[in-house]
Amino acid sequence: MSWRRGGKAIILALAMCVLAACGTRQEADRGKLPEAGKKTVAAAGIDAGKASGGDDGGYIADDMSISSAEDQEFTLIRIKDEYFDIRRRGDYLELHYVETYGTDYPEMEDGACAHVVADVDIYDGGEAGYMHDYYLKDVKSYYNVPYEDIPIIFELPDAGETNINMYNHMLAYHHAGSWYLLSLIWDKVVAYKEGEFFAEYDLQDIEGLDTPEPFLKDVKENLPEFSENTMFTLRVYEPWFYESLHYTLLNDGTLIVLYYDTELGREKLSAERMEEIRSFFTPEIVYTMDVGKEADRTDGTQRYIILYDSDENEIKVGGYELEGGEDFNGYFHILYHMLEDDYTKQWSDKLDECMQDSTTYGDRHL
C-alpha cells in the first residue's frame, strides 16, 4: 500500500473534514526537498531550506512559506517507515509528516515514540498542502517516551469510548496492563501495543461506529499463553498507614504471603480449596475484564490482579480508584477473601496493630 499522497483521493472521499495533518506533503525521496517544493521555492528565487522573507523576499508561488526554528521540541512517532509529529491543536489531535534533508531520523523502532529536540525548517502552504510541517536539519537530542505517557501528554481520547474522526487522528486504549495507540494514516488505521505492531484496519471498516469495534474485538480475543506455574498475584496498595498483605498463588496450590515484595511465609492449600478457587478464577476472565478507567491521583487504593504469561512476565490488570470498575473491584475482593485463613491472619493481625499505632509493619517488624 502507499503511505503517501497516493491515498489523498481516498481520504477526501471518505472524510472531507479530516484535516490534512494525517499527510501534508507529496511524494518525496528521503533526505530531499520534494519536487513541488523545489519548483515553488525556485520560482520565488529562494534557496531550498532558506526561511521565507529573507534577502530575496517577495512573492512565494502558491503561497508557500518556509520558516526556521532552532531547538524545536516535539513528539515523534514512527509508523512503519514513516515519521509523524503528534500535535494537539485545540480540539484537534493531528499527525503531521516529518521529513529530513541532510540529517538522519532518530534511531527508533517501528511503533516507537520519542521526544525530539531539533533544528527544523517549517513548511506552510504550496501545491503540496503543507500545514506547518517539519523538515529536520539537525537532531540535537531525543529520548524514548513510553506509551503510558502519550495519552497524558496529548489528552488522547479513549478508544473504548470514542472513535477516529475529524478531531482525533490518534486514540489510546488501556487493557490488561498494556497501552495501545491507534493512528489514522490515510485510508488505514494502524494499531500498536506497547510499541509493537498489533493490527491494521481499513478505515471503511472503522469509521461511522461509536468505537473502533474491530480493534476492540481483536484486543479481547488476543489472549496470551498463560503461565503453567503461577496462577496470579493479588496486590493492594492502600493510603497512609493502611496496609494489606499481597498474595501469590502457584498452580500447585502453594500460597506465598508477601509484605510488598518481602516473602513472609508460604502454605500448601488443600485440593478442595484449590478447586473452589479454580471454579471462580480463570486468567481469561480477568484478562478480558473491563476494569474501567483510573481516577485522578488522590488518596485512594490501588488493586491489581497480576497474571503471568508463559515466560513469567507480568500482565497487570486493575488500577487506582477505578471509575466504572465495580465489577473488577468486587471480583478482586472475593478472590482476595478466598486466600485468607488462619495462616495468613497471623500477619494481617500485625498489620492492623501497626495501623492503629500509626506505623507500618515494615518499620516495626522488618
Side-chain angles (χ1 to χ4, degrees), residues 193-255:
K193 176 183 178 181
E194 299 290 359
E196 298 289 336
F197 177 80
F198 178 75
E200 179 180 301
Y201 308 92
D202 290 333
L203 178 60
Q204 62 185 4
D205 296 330
I206 297 289
E207 66 174 349
L209 304 173
D210 292 333
T211 56
E213 295 301 330
F215 162 76
L216 298 176
K217 181 174 180 289
D218 287 345
V219 168
K220 294 187 176 181
E221 292 182 352
N222 186 45
L223 295 176
E225 182 179 347
F226 295 107
S227 170
E228 296 181 357
N229 178 57
T230 311
M231 287 184 67
F232 58 81
T233 293
L234 301 183
R235 293 179 185 162
V236 53
Y237 302 94
E238 300 183 85
W240 301 102
F241 295 108
Y242 296 90
E243 295 185 307
S244 298
L245 298 174
H246 296 195
Y247 299 120
T248 294
L249 182 62
L250 305 184
N251 276 306
D252 66 1
T254 300
L255 175 63

Short mmCIF file of all heavy atoms in Angstrom, two decimals, residues 193-255:
data_model
loop_
_atom_site.label_atom_id
_atom_site.label_comp_id
_atom_site.label_asym_id
_atom_site.label_seq_id
_atom_site.Cartn_x
_atom_site.Cartn_y
_atom_site.Cartn_z
N LYS A 193 0.77 -2.02 20.15
CA LYS A 193 0.65 -2.40 21.56
C LYS A 193 2.02 -2.24 22.21
O LYS A 193 2.95 -2.99 21.89
CB LYS A 193 0.16 -3.84 21.68
CG LYS A 193 0.09 -4.35 23.12
CD LYS A 193 -0.33 -5.82 23.14
CE LYS A 193 -0.36 -6.37 24.55
NZ LYS A 193 -0.74 -7.81 24.58
N GLU A 194 2.15 -1.25 23.09
CA GLU A 194 3.41 -1.01 23.80
C GLU A 194 4.60 -0.96 22.84
O GLU A 194 5.66 -1.52 23.10
CB GLU A 194 3.64 -2.09 24.87
CG GLU A 194 2.59 -2.15 25.96
CD GLU A 194 2.64 -0.95 26.90
OE1 GLU A 194 3.50 -0.08 26.73
OE2 GLU A 194 1.81 -0.90 27.83
N GLY A 195 4.40 -0.29 21.70
CA GLY A 195 5.49 -0.12 20.74
C GLY A 195 5.66 -1.25 19.75
O GLY A 195 6.53 -1.18 18.88
N GLU A 196 4.83 -2.28 19.83
CA GLU A 196 4.89 -3.40 18.90
C GLU A 196 3.65 -3.37 18.00
O GLU A 196 2.55 -3.10 18.45
CB GLU A 196 4.95 -4.73 19.65
CG GLU A 196 6.17 -4.90 20.54
CD GLU A 196 7.44 -5.10 19.76
OE1 GLU A 196 7.35 -5.56 18.59
OE2 GLU A 196 8.53 -4.80 20.29
N PHE A 197 3.86 -3.68 16.69
CA PHE A 197 2.73 -3.69 15.76
C PHE A 197 1.68 -4.68 16.24
O PHE A 197 1.98 -5.82 16.59
CB PHE A 197 3.20 -4.08 14.36
CG PHE A 197 2.08 -4.18 13.36
CD1 PHE A 197 1.56 -3.04 12.77
CD2 PHE A 197 1.53 -5.41 13.04
CE1 PHE A 197 0.52 -3.12 11.85
CE2 PHE A 197 0.49 -5.51 12.13
CZ PHE A 197 -0.02 -4.36 11.53
N PHE A 198 0.42 -4.24 16.27
CA PHE A 198 -0.68 -5.09 16.72
C PHE A 198 -1.61 -5.47 15.58
O PHE A 198 -1.89 -6.64 15.36
CB PHE A 198 -1.46 -4.40 17.83
CG PHE A 198 -2.64 -5.19 18.33
CD1 PHE A 198 -2.46 -6.29 19.14
CD2 PHE A 198 -3.94 -4.82 17.98
CE1 PHE A 198 -3.54 -7.03 19.59
CE2 PHE A 198 -5.03 -5.56 18.43
CZ PHE A 198 -4.83 -6.66 19.24
N ALA A 199 -2.11 -4.47 14.84
CA ALA A 199 -3.06 -4.76 13.77
C ALA A 199 -3.20 -3.55 12.86
O ALA A 199 -2.81 -2.43 13.22
CB ALA A 199 -4.42 -5.15 14.35
N GLU A 200 -3.77 -3.79 11.69
CA GLU A 200 -4.06 -2.71 10.74
C GLU A 200 -5.46 -2.93 10.17
O GLU A 200 -5.84 -4.07 9.88
CB GLU A 200 -3.02 -2.73 9.61
CG GLU A 200 -3.23 -1.67 8.55
CD GLU A 200 -2.17 -1.75 7.47
OE1 GLU A 200 -0.97 -1.63 7.79
OE2 GLU A 200 -2.55 -1.94 6.29
N TYR A 201 -6.21 -1.84 10.03
CA TYR A 201 -7.59 -1.93 9.58
C TYR A 201 -7.84 -0.92 8.46
O TYR A 201 -7.25 0.16 8.45
CB TYR A 201 -8.56 -1.64 10.74
CG TYR A 201 -8.30 -2.46 11.98
CD1 TYR A 201 -7.46 -1.97 12.98
CD2 TYR A 201 -8.86 -3.72 12.14
CE1 TYR A 201 -7.21 -2.72 14.12
CE2 TYR A 201 -8.61 -4.47 13.27
CZ TYR A 201 -7.78 -3.97 14.25
OH TYR A 201 -7.51 -4.72 15.37
N ASP A 202 -8.75 -1.28 7.55
CA ASP A 202 -9.21 -0.31 6.57
C ASP A 202 -10.11 0.70 7.27
O ASP A 202 -10.96 0.31 8.09
CB ASP A 202 -9.98 -1.00 5.45
CG ASP A 202 -9.08 -1.84 4.56
OD1 ASP A 202 -7.88 -1.50 4.45
OD2 ASP A 202 -9.56 -2.83 3.98
N LEU A 203 -9.94 1.96 6.95
CA LEU A 203 -10.75 2.99 7.59
C LEU A 203 -12.23 2.75 7.38
O LEU A 203 -13.05 2.99 8.28
CB LEU A 203 -10.36 4.37 7.03
CG LEU A 203 -11.17 5.56 7.57
CD1 LEU A 203 -11.01 5.68 9.08
CD2 LEU A 203 -10.73 6.85 6.89
N GLN A 204 -12.61 2.21 6.22
CA GLN A 204 -14.03 1.99 5.94
C GLN A 204 -14.65 0.96 6.89
O GLN A 204 -15.87 0.92 7.07
CB GLN A 204 -14.22 1.54 4.50
CG GLN A 204 -13.54 0.23 4.16
CD GLN A 204 -13.64 -0.10 2.68
OE1 GLN A 204 -14.16 0.69 1.89
NE2 GLN A 204 -13.16 -1.26 2.31
N ASP A 205 -13.80 0.12 7.51
CA ASP A 205 -14.30 -0.85 8.48
C ASP A 205 -14.38 -0.28 9.89
O ASP A 205 -14.94 -0.92 10.79
CB ASP A 205 -13.40 -2.09 8.50
CG ASP A 205 -13.40 -2.84 7.18
OD1 ASP A 205 -14.43 -2.79 6.48
OD2 ASP A 205 -12.37 -3.44 6.85
N ILE A 206 -13.80 0.88 10.10
CA ILE A 206 -13.74 1.50 11.42
C ILE A 206 -14.67 2.70 11.53
O ILE A 206 -15.36 2.89 12.53
CB ILE A 206 -12.29 1.95 11.74
CG1 ILE A 206 -11.35 0.75 11.79
CG2 ILE A 206 -12.24 2.75 13.03
CD1 ILE A 206 -11.54 -0.16 12.97
N GLU A 207 -14.69 3.54 10.49
CA GLU A 207 -15.41 4.81 10.57
C GLU A 207 -16.91 4.58 10.67
O GLU A 207 -17.45 3.56 10.25
CB GLU A 207 -15.09 5.69 9.36
CG GLU A 207 -15.60 5.13 8.05
CD GLU A 207 -15.40 6.08 6.90
OE1 GLU A 207 -15.06 7.24 7.15
OE2 GLU A 207 -15.60 5.66 5.75
N GLY A 208 -17.57 5.56 11.26
CA GLY A 208 -19.02 5.51 11.37
C GLY A 208 -19.52 4.81 12.61
O GLY A 208 -20.68 4.96 12.99
N LEU A 209 -18.65 4.05 13.27
CA LEU A 209 -19.02 3.36 14.50
C LEU A 209 -18.76 4.26 15.70
O LEU A 209 -17.97 5.19 15.63
CB LEU A 209 -18.23 2.05 14.64
CG LEU A 209 -18.32 1.06 13.48
CD1 LEU A 209 -17.35 -0.10 13.69
CD2 LEU A 209 -19.75 0.55 13.33
N ASP A 210 -19.42 3.99 16.80
CA ASP A 210 -19.19 4.78 18.01
C ASP A 210 -17.79 4.56 18.55
O ASP A 210 -17.17 5.48 19.09
CB ASP A 210 -20.22 4.42 19.09
CG ASP A 210 -21.63 4.85 18.71
OD1 ASP A 210 -21.76 5.82 17.94
OD2 ASP A 210 -22.59 4.21 19.17
N THR A 211 -17.30 3.32 18.44
CA THR A 211 -15.95 2.96 18.86
C THR A 211 -15.35 2.05 17.78
O THR A 211 -16.10 1.45 17.00
CB THR A 211 -15.95 2.23 20.22
OG1 THR A 211 -16.80 1.09 20.13
CG2 THR A 211 -16.41 3.15 21.34
N PRO A 212 -14.03 1.91 17.71
CA PRO A 212 -13.41 1.04 16.70
C PRO A 212 -13.61 -0.43 17.04
O PRO A 212 -12.70 -1.10 17.55
CB PRO A 212 -11.93 1.46 16.75
CG PRO A 212 -11.73 1.97 18.13
CD PRO A 212 -13.02 2.62 18.53
N GLU A 213 -14.80 -0.94 16.77
CA GLU A 213 -15.18 -2.28 17.21
C GLU A 213 -14.25 -3.40 16.73
O GLU A 213 -13.93 -4.32 17.50
CB GLU A 213 -16.62 -2.58 16.78
CG GLU A 213 -17.66 -1.69 17.44
CD GLU A 213 -17.63 -1.80 18.96
OE1 GLU A 213 -17.27 -2.87 19.47
OE2 GLU A 213 -17.95 -0.82 19.63
N PRO A 214 -13.78 -3.38 15.47
CA PRO A 214 -12.86 -4.47 15.06
C PRO A 214 -11.61 -4.53 15.91
O PRO A 214 -11.14 -5.62 16.26
CB PRO A 214 -12.54 -4.11 13.61
CG PRO A 214 -13.70 -3.30 13.15
CD PRO A 214 -14.13 -2.51 14.34
N PHE A 215 -11.08 -3.37 16.27
CA PHE A 215 -9.90 -3.33 17.14
C PHE A 215 -10.22 -3.86 18.53
O PHE A 215 -9.49 -4.69 19.08
CB PHE A 215 -9.37 -1.90 17.22
CG PHE A 215 -8.45 -1.66 18.38
CD1 PHE A 215 -7.14 -2.11 18.36
CD2 PHE A 215 -8.90 -0.99 19.52
CE1 PHE A 215 -6.29 -1.90 19.45
CE2 PHE A 215 -8.07 -0.78 20.60
CZ PHE A 215 -6.76 -1.23 20.57
N LEU A 216 -11.31 -3.37 19.14
CA LEU A 216 -11.66 -3.80 20.49
C LEU A 216 -11.91 -5.30 20.54
O LEU A 216 -11.53 -5.98 21.51
CB LEU A 216 -12.90 -3.04 20.96
CG LEU A 216 -12.76 -1.53 21.08
CD1 LEU A 216 -14.09 -0.88 21.46
CD2 LEU A 216 -11.69 -1.16 22.11
N LYS A 217 -12.51 -5.85 19.50
CA LYS A 217 -12.75 -7.29 19.44
C LYS A 217 -11.43 -8.05 19.38
O LYS A 217 -11.25 -9.05 20.08
CB LYS A 217 -13.60 -7.61 18.21
CG LYS A 217 -13.95 -9.08 18.02
CD LYS A 217 -14.92 -9.25 16.86
CE LYS A 217 -15.28 -10.72 16.66
NZ LYS A 217 -14.15 -11.49 16.12
N ASP A 218 -10.50 -7.56 18.57
CA ASP A 218 -9.20 -8.23 18.46
C ASP A 218 -8.42 -8.18 19.77
O ASP A 218 -7.73 -9.14 20.12
CB ASP A 218 -8.37 -7.60 17.35
CG ASP A 218 -8.88 -7.96 15.96
OD1 ASP A 218 -9.68 -8.91 15.87
OD2 ASP A 218 -8.49 -7.29 14.99
N VAL A 219 -8.51 -7.05 20.48
CA VAL A 219 -7.80 -6.94 21.76
C VAL A 219 -8.29 -7.99 22.74
O VAL A 219 -7.49 -8.68 23.39
CB VAL A 219 -7.99 -5.53 22.36
CG1 VAL A 219 -7.50 -5.49 23.81
CG2 VAL A 219 -7.22 -4.50 21.54
N LYS A 220 -9.57 -8.15 22.86
CA LYS A 220 -10.12 -9.08 23.84
C LYS A 220 -9.93 -10.54 23.43
O LYS A 220 -9.92 -11.44 24.28
CB LYS A 220 -11.59 -8.77 24.08
CG LYS A 220 -11.79 -7.41 24.74
CD LYS A 220 -13.22 -7.15 25.14
CE LYS A 220 -13.34 -5.82 25.88
NZ LYS A 220 -14.72 -5.51 26.32
N GLU A 221 -9.80 -10.78 22.12
CA GLU A 221 -9.61 -12.15 21.67
C GLU A 221 -8.13 -12.53 21.55
O GLU A 221 -7.82 -13.71 21.37
CB GLU A 221 -10.29 -12.35 20.31
CG GLU A 221 -11.81 -12.29 20.39
CD GLU A 221 -12.47 -12.54 19.05
OE1 GLU A 221 -11.73 -12.60 18.04
OE2 GLU A 221 -13.70 -12.67 19.00
N ASN A 222 -7.27 -11.54 21.66
CA ASN A 222 -5.83 -11.80 21.52
C ASN A 222 -5.24 -12.24 22.87
O ASN A 222 -4.49 -11.52 23.51
CB ASN A 222 -5.12 -10.53 21.02
CG ASN A 222 -3.66 -10.77 20.72
OD1 ASN A 222 -3.30 -11.76 20.10
ND2 ASN A 222 -2.82 -9.86 21.17
N LEU A 223 -5.60 -13.42 23.30
CA LEU A 223 -5.17 -13.92 24.59
C LEU A 223 -3.73 -14.42 24.54
O LEU A 223 -3.35 -15.13 23.60
CB LEU A 223 -6.08 -15.06 25.06
CG LEU A 223 -7.54 -14.71 25.33
CD1 LEU A 223 -8.32 -15.98 25.68
CD2 LEU A 223 -7.66 -13.70 26.45
N PRO A 224 -2.93 -14.09 25.55
CA PRO A 224 -1.57 -14.63 25.61
C PRO A 224 -1.60 -16.08 26.08
O PRO A 224 -2.64 -16.59 26.53
CB PRO A 224 -0.89 -13.74 26.65
CG PRO A 224 -2.00 -13.30 27.54
CD PRO A 224 -3.21 -13.18 26.66
N GLU A 225 -0.48 -16.76 26.00
CA GLU A 225 -0.34 -18.08 26.58
C GLU A 225 0.03 -17.89 28.04
O GLU A 225 1.07 -17.33 28.35
CB GLU A 225 0.74 -18.88 25.85
CG GLU A 225 0.92 -20.29 26.38
CD GLU A 225 1.98 -21.07 25.63
OE1 GLU A 225 2.39 -20.59 24.55
OE2 GLU A 225 2.41 -22.13 26.12
N PHE A 226 -0.82 -18.33 28.93
CA PHE A 226 -0.63 -18.07 30.35
C PHE A 226 0.32 -19.08 30.99
O PHE A 226 0.51 -20.19 30.50
CB PHE A 226 -1.97 -18.05 31.08
CG PHE A 226 -2.88 -16.94 30.66
CD1 PHE A 226 -4.00 -17.19 29.88
CD2 PHE A 226 -2.59 -15.62 31.02
CE1 PHE A 226 -4.84 -16.16 29.49
CE2 PHE A 226 -3.43 -14.59 30.63
CZ PHE A 226 -4.55 -14.86 29.86
N SER A 227 0.89 -18.66 32.11
CA SER A 227 1.89 -19.47 32.81
C SER A 227 1.30 -20.78 33.31
O SER A 227 0.15 -20.83 33.78
CB SER A 227 2.45 -18.68 34.00
OG SER A 227 3.24 -19.49 34.83
N GLU A 228 2.07 -21.83 33.24
CA GLU A 228 1.69 -23.11 33.83
C GLU A 228 2.13 -23.20 35.29
O GLU A 228 1.74 -24.12 36.00
CB GLU A 228 2.31 -24.27 33.03
CG GLU A 228 1.81 -24.37 31.60
CD GLU A 228 2.44 -25.53 30.86
OE1 GLU A 228 3.31 -26.20 31.46
OE2 GLU A 228 2.07 -25.77 29.69
N ASN A 229 2.93 -22.24 35.74
CA ASN A 229 3.49 -22.28 37.08
C ASN A 229 2.74 -21.38 38.06
O ASN A 229 2.41 -21.79 39.18
CB ASN A 229 4.97 -21.87 37.06
CG ASN A 229 5.58 -21.85 38.44
OD1 ASN A 229 5.57 -22.85 39.15
ND2 ASN A 229 6.12 -20.70 38.83
N THR A 230 2.45 -20.15 37.65
CA THR A 230 1.86 -19.16 38.55
C THR A 230 0.44 -18.82 38.12
O THR A 230 0.22 -18.44 36.97
CB THR A 230 2.70 -17.87 38.58
OG1 THR A 230 4.07 -18.20 38.79
CG2 THR A 230 2.22 -16.94 39.68
N MET A 231 -0.52 -18.93 39.04
CA MET A 231 -1.90 -18.59 38.71
C MET A 231 -2.09 -17.07 38.68
O MET A 231 -2.55 -16.51 37.69
CB MET A 231 -2.86 -19.21 39.73
CG MET A 231 -3.04 -20.71 39.60
SD MET A 231 -4.27 -21.36 40.76
CE MET A 231 -5.79 -20.62 40.14
N PHE A 232 -1.73 -16.41 39.78
CA PHE A 232 -1.92 -14.96 39.86
C PHE A 232 -1.24 -14.44 41.11
O PHE A 232 -0.86 -15.18 42.02
CB PHE A 232 -3.41 -14.59 39.89
CG PHE A 232 -4.17 -15.19 41.03
CD1 PHE A 232 -4.14 -14.64 42.30
CD2 PHE A 232 -4.94 -16.34 40.83
CE1 PHE A 232 -4.85 -15.19 43.36
CE2 PHE A 232 -5.66 -16.91 41.89
CZ PHE A 232 -5.61 -16.33 43.15
N THR A 233 -1.09 -13.11 41.15
CA THR A 233 -0.69 -12.38 42.35
C THR A 233 -1.73 -11.29 42.60
O THR A 233 -2.19 -10.64 41.66
CB THR A 233 0.70 -11.73 42.17
OG1 THR A 233 1.69 -12.76 42.09
CG2 THR A 233 1.04 -10.82 43.36
N LEU A 234 -2.10 -11.13 43.87
CA LEU A 234 -3.01 -10.05 44.26
C LEU A 234 -2.19 -8.99 44.98
O LEU A 234 -1.49 -9.29 45.96
CB LEU A 234 -4.11 -10.57 45.18
CG LEU A 234 -5.01 -11.68 44.64
CD1 LEU A 234 -6.09 -12.01 45.66
CD2 LEU A 234 -5.63 -11.28 43.31
N ARG A 235 -2.29 -7.76 44.51
CA ARG A 235 -1.58 -6.65 45.13
C ARG A 235 -2.58 -5.54 45.44
O ARG A 235 -3.36 -5.15 44.58
CB ARG A 235 -0.48 -6.11 44.21
CG ARG A 235 0.65 -7.09 43.98
CD ARG A 235 1.69 -6.51 43.05
NE ARG A 235 2.72 -7.49 42.74
CZ ARG A 235 3.55 -7.40 41.71
NH1 ARG A 235 3.48 -6.36 40.90
NH2 ARG A 235 4.45 -8.33 41.50
N VAL A 236 -2.53 -5.04 46.65
CA VAL A 236 -3.39 -3.93 47.04
C VAL A 236 -2.54 -2.90 47.78
O VAL A 236 -1.82 -3.24 48.72
CB VAL A 236 -4.60 -4.40 47.89
CG1 VAL A 236 -4.16 -5.23 49.07
CG2 VAL A 236 -5.46 -3.22 48.33
N TYR A 237 -2.59 -1.67 47.31
CA TYR A 237 -1.81 -0.58 47.90
C TYR A 237 -2.80 0.44 48.47
O TYR A 237 -3.53 1.09 47.72
CB TYR A 237 -0.92 0.09 46.85
CG TYR A 237 0.04 -0.85 46.19
CD1 TYR A 237 -0.29 -1.48 44.99
CD2 TYR A 237 1.29 -1.12 46.74
CE1 TYR A 237 0.60 -2.34 44.36
CE2 TYR A 237 2.19 -1.97 46.12
CZ TYR A 237 1.83 -2.58 44.94
OH TYR A 237 2.71 -3.43 44.32
N GLU A 238 -2.79 0.56 49.78
CA GLU A 238 -3.74 1.45 50.45
C GLU A 238 -3.02 2.70 50.97
O GLU A 238 -1.80 2.68 51.16
CB GLU A 238 -4.44 0.71 51.58
CG GLU A 238 -5.21 -0.52 51.09
CD GLU A 238 -5.97 -1.22 52.18
OE1 GLU A 238 -7.11 -0.79 52.47
OE2 GLU A 238 -5.46 -2.20 52.74
N PRO A 239 -3.75 3.77 51.21
CA PRO A 239 -3.09 5.04 51.58
C PRO A 239 -2.63 5.07 53.03
O PRO A 239 -3.18 4.39 53.90
CB PRO A 239 -4.19 6.07 51.33
CG PRO A 239 -5.46 5.31 51.56
CD PRO A 239 -5.20 3.92 51.04
N TRP A 240 -1.64 5.88 53.27
CA TRP A 240 -1.13 6.16 54.60
C TRP A 240 -0.72 4.88 55.31
O TRP A 240 0.00 4.06 54.79
CB TRP A 240 -2.15 6.98 55.40
CG TRP A 240 -2.48 8.28 54.73
CD1 TRP A 240 -3.58 8.58 54.00
CD2 TRP A 240 -1.64 9.44 54.67
NE1 TRP A 240 -3.50 9.86 53.51
CE2 TRP A 240 -2.33 10.42 53.91
CE3 TRP A 240 -0.39 9.78 55.20
CZ2 TRP A 240 -1.82 11.68 53.65
CZ3 TRP A 240 0.12 11.04 54.95
CH2 TRP A 240 -0.58 11.98 54.19
N PHE A 241 -1.21 4.68 56.55
CA PHE A 241 -0.76 3.53 57.33
C PHE A 241 -1.68 2.32 57.18
O PHE A 241 -1.53 1.35 57.90
CB PHE A 241 -0.63 3.91 58.81
CG PHE A 241 0.45 4.92 59.06
CD1 PHE A 241 0.13 6.23 59.38
CD2 PHE A 241 1.78 4.58 58.93
CE1 PHE A 241 1.12 7.18 59.61
CE2 PHE A 241 2.79 5.52 59.16
CZ PHE A 241 2.45 6.82 59.49
N TYR A 242 -2.62 2.40 56.26
CA TYR A 242 -3.45 1.24 55.99
C TYR A 242 -2.66 0.30 55.08
O TYR A 242 -2.22 0.71 54.00
CB TYR A 242 -4.76 1.65 55.30
CG TYR A 242 -5.64 2.51 56.16
CD1 TYR A 242 -5.53 3.89 56.13
CD2 TYR A 242 -6.59 1.93 57.01
CE1 TYR A 242 -6.34 4.69 56.92
CE2 TYR A 242 -7.41 2.73 57.80
CZ TYR A 242 -7.27 4.11 57.75
OH TYR A 242 -8.07 4.88 58.53
N GLU A 243 -2.48 -0.94 55.49
CA GLU A 243 -1.68 -1.87 54.72
C GLU A 243 -2.42 -3.20 54.59
O GLU A 243 -3.21 -3.58 55.45
CB GLU A 243 -0.32 -2.11 55.37
CG GLU A 243 0.56 -0.88 55.39
CD GLU A 243 1.94 -1.18 55.94
OE1 GLU A 243 2.02 -1.74 57.06
OE2 GLU A 243 2.93 -0.85 55.27
N SER A 244 -2.13 -3.91 53.52
CA SER A 244 -2.71 -5.22 53.28
C SER A 244 -1.62 -6.16 52.79
O SER A 244 -0.63 -5.71 52.19
CB SER A 244 -3.84 -5.15 52.24
OG SER A 244 -4.89 -4.33 52.69
N LEU A 245 -1.83 -7.42 53.02
CA LEU A 245 -0.89 -8.43 52.53
C LEU A 245 -1.05 -8.59 51.03
O LEU A 245 -2.13 -8.34 50.47
CB LEU A 245 -1.15 -9.77 53.22
CG LEU A 245 -0.96 -9.81 54.74
CD1 LEU A 245 -1.39 -11.17 55.28
CD2 LEU A 245 0.49 -9.50 55.13
N HIS A 246 0.02 -9.01 50.38
CA HIS A 246 -0.02 -9.39 48.97
C HIS A 246 0.07 -10.92 48.92
O HIS A 246 0.73 -11.53 49.76
CB HIS A 246 1.12 -8.76 48.20
CG HIS A 246 1.06 -7.27 48.16
ND1 HIS A 246 1.81 -6.51 47.28
CD2 HIS A 246 0.33 -6.37 48.87
CE1 HIS A 246 1.55 -5.23 47.47
NE2 HIS A 246 0.66 -5.12 48.43
N TYR A 247 -0.57 -11.51 47.91
CA TYR A 247 -0.58 -12.96 47.80
C TYR A 247 -0.18 -13.39 46.39
O TYR A 247 -0.62 -12.78 45.40
CB TYR A 247 -1.98 -13.53 48.09
CG TYR A 247 -2.51 -13.25 49.47
CD1 TYR A 247 -3.69 -12.54 49.65
CD2 TYR A 247 -1.85 -13.71 50.60
CE1 TYR A 247 -4.21 -12.29 50.91
CE2 TYR A 247 -2.35 -13.47 51.88
CZ TYR A 247 -3.52 -12.75 52.02
OH TYR A 247 -4.02 -12.51 53.28
N THR A 248 0.62 -14.45 46.30
CA THR A 248 0.88 -15.12 45.03
C THR A 248 0.47 -16.57 45.17
O THR A 248 0.88 -17.26 46.11
CB THR A 248 2.37 -15.05 44.66
OG1 THR A 248 2.73 -13.69 44.41
CG2 THR A 248 2.65 -15.87 43.40
N LEU A 249 -0.35 -17.04 44.23
CA LEU A 249 -0.81 -18.43 44.25
C LEU A 249 -0.23 -19.17 43.06
O LEU A 249 -0.41 -18.76 41.91
CB LEU A 249 -2.34 -18.49 44.22
CG LEU A 249 -2.96 -19.89 44.29
CD1 LEU A 249 -2.59 -20.57 45.61
CD2 LEU A 249 -4.48 -19.82 44.12
N LEU A 250 0.45 -20.26 43.33
CA LEU A 250 1.01 -21.10 42.29
C LEU A 250 0.01 -22.18 41.89
O LEU A 250 -0.89 -22.53 42.67
CB LEU A 250 2.31 -21.75 42.77
CG LEU A 250 3.40 -20.80 43.29
CD1 LEU A 250 4.67 -21.59 43.63
CD2 LEU A 250 3.72 -19.71 42.28
N ASN A 251 0.18 -22.72 40.71
CA ASN A 251 -0.76 -23.72 40.21
C ASN A 251 -0.73 -25.01 41.01
O ASN A 251 -1.70 -25.78 40.98
CB ASN A 251 -0.49 -24.01 38.73
CG ASN A 251 -1.16 -23.00 37.82
OD1 ASN A 251 -2.36 -22.77 37.91
ND2 ASN A 251 -0.40 -22.37 36.95
N ASP A 252 0.36 -25.26 41.72
CA ASP A 252 0.43 -26.49 42.53
C ASP A 252 -0.22 -26.32 43.89
O ASP A 252 -0.17 -27.21 44.74
CB ASP A 252 1.88 -26.95 42.69
CG ASP A 252 2.74 -25.99 43.51
OD1 ASP A 252 2.22 -24.96 43.98
OD2 ASP A 252 3.94 -26.26 43.68
N GLY A 253 -0.83 -25.15 44.15
CA GLY A 253 -1.54 -24.92 45.40
C GLY A 253 -0.72 -24.20 46.45
O GLY A 253 -1.21 -23.98 47.56
N THR A 254 0.50 -23.79 46.12
CA THR A 254 1.33 -23.06 47.08
C THR A 254 0.89 -21.60 47.14
O THR A 254 0.85 -20.90 46.12
CB THR A 254 2.81 -23.12 46.68
OG1 THR A 254 3.23 -24.49 46.65
CG2 THR A 254 3.67 -22.35 47.67
N LEU A 255 0.56 -21.15 48.35
CA LEU A 255 0.19 -19.75 48.56
C LEU A 255 1.36 -19.05 49.24
O LEU A 255 1.80 -19.45 50.33
CB LEU A 255 -1.04 -19.64 49.45
CG LEU A 255 -1.45 -18.21 49.85
CD1 LEU A 255 -1.83 -17.39 48.62
CD2 LEU A 255 -2.59 -18.23 50.87
#
